[in-house]
Amino acid sequence: MRGADEALIVIDVQNDFCPDGALAVAGGGEVVGPINDLMEQFHTVVLSQDWHPKGHSSFATSHEGMDPFSLTQMPYGPQVLWPDHCLQGSQGAEFHADLNADVAQMIVRKGCNPAIDSYSAFFENDHVTPTGLEGYLRNRGIKKVTLVGLALDFCVNFSAVDGAKLGFEVTVEQSLCRAIDMDGSLNAAISGMKDAGVQLNG
Ligand code: VGL
Ligand code: ZN
C-alpha cells in the first residue's frame, strides 16, 4: 500500500470519453483495467466526473455557427468548443461500466456552472473558482497525488498543473491516460506539466 499522505485521482473515466462516446478519446477504454489495479494500492481514491448542464457554454451547439473543436474567446480566456458531452444524469456522463468506482471515497463533479468550463479537478477554467478538492485533500493530510485518466492533454493536464501550483507533489502515470491530441495539444500539455514540476511516468 501507498502511504497515508498519498491519493490517487482518476480523471473523467466516463462513457463519453471512451470509444462510441460523444467526445471519444482514442483508446479511452484501455485504461480502465490498469486503473482498477492501481486503485487497490491507495487508501484515498478520488474520481472526477465531467458534469455539464444542457446548453453548457463549452458546447459548440451553444454558439451559433461554431463547429466542434474550434476555438472561441470567453471572458476568462480562450476556450475550445466541444461536441455536447457528459450531460448531467446521462448515460454518457456515467463512469465506464468496468471502472471500480465503488472504492472511491470522493467524487468531484465539475463543469456544472453553465458559463465556465472546468478542465481541472481543482479550479474552473477561470483559474480562481475552486471545486473544493484542494480542501478535501488537505483535510485528509494528503501531500502527494497520482493522476490518471482522460484526457491527458486537457483535464489530466490542467489538474496536474493546478495540483503542482497548490504545492502537492504530483505524478502523472502517462500509460494510464489517453489524449485527445488536437493542434499539438499533447506536446504543449507535456511541456507545460514538466515546467510546472509534475513528475511524468511511463
Ligand atoms: C475534457 C474536454 C471537455 C476532459 C472534458 O475530460 O479532458 N475534455 N471536457
Ligand atoms: Zn467537458
Side-chain angles (χ1 to χ4, degrees):
M1 283 304 272
R2 304 292 187 103
D5 63 346
E6 291 202 47
L8 178 65
I9 305 179
V10 180
I11 302 290
D12 298 3
V13 179
Q14 295 167 258
N15 291 327
D16 271 344
F17 298 120
C18 293
D20 298 329
L23 180 35
V25 180
E30 296 164 8
V31 299
V32 174
I35 289 176
N36 285 340
D37 293 342
L38 187 60
M39 288 197 288
E40 291 177 14
Q41 291 183 24
F42 286 81
H43 296 284
T44 299
V45 176
V46 176
L47 308 180
S48 77
Q49 191 171 25
D50 212 39
W51 196 251
H52 298 307
K54 269 187 211 145
H56 191 260
S57 58
S58 74
F59 297 166
T61 52
S62 303
H63 303 260
E64 181 128 15
M66 297 294 282
D67 291 324
F69 305 104
S70 65
L71 200 64
T72 192
Q73 285 298 321
M74 299 289 234
Y76 53 81
Q79 170 71 49
V80 178
L81 295 176
W82 303 107
D84 288 23
H85 65 278
C86 295
L87 283 161
Q88 295 172 356
S90 68
Q91 182 62 27
E94 291 301 312
F95 295 114
H96 187 291
D98 297 334
L99 185 72
N100 192 6
D102 291 352
V103 304
Q105 291 88 0
M106 173 73 169
I107 297 174
V108 185
R109 287 177 168 168
K110 60 186 183 63
C112 308
N113 181 335
I116 314 181
D117 205 2
S118 187
Y119 294 149
S120 165
F122 290 100
F123 294 101
E124 297 189 358
N125 283 8
D126 61 5
H127 299 291
V128 294
T129 309
T131 61
L133 177 59
E134 178 194 2
Y136 176 80
L137 295 174
R138 289 206 198 285
N139 225 297
R140 297 187 42 138
I142 302 297
K143 303 223 159 32
K144 301 180 197 170
V145 294
T146 297
L147 271 68
V148 298
L150 308 172
L152 176 58
D153 40 350
F154 287 91
C155 292
V156 175
N157 168 33
F158 275 62
S159 301
V161 170
D162 279 348
K165 279 187 189 157
L166 289 169
F168 294 101
E169 201 179 300
V170 181
T171 301
V172 170
E173 293 292 343
Q174 293 182 94
S175 65
L176 303 190
C177 298
R178 293 292 182 275
I180 294 172
D181 199 12
M182 50 179 282
D183 303 328
S185 58
L186 180 55
N187 283 339
I190 285 170
S191 54
M193 287 190 280
K194 281 186 184 156
D195 289 349
V198 172
Q199 166 83 37
L200 290 164
N201 286 353

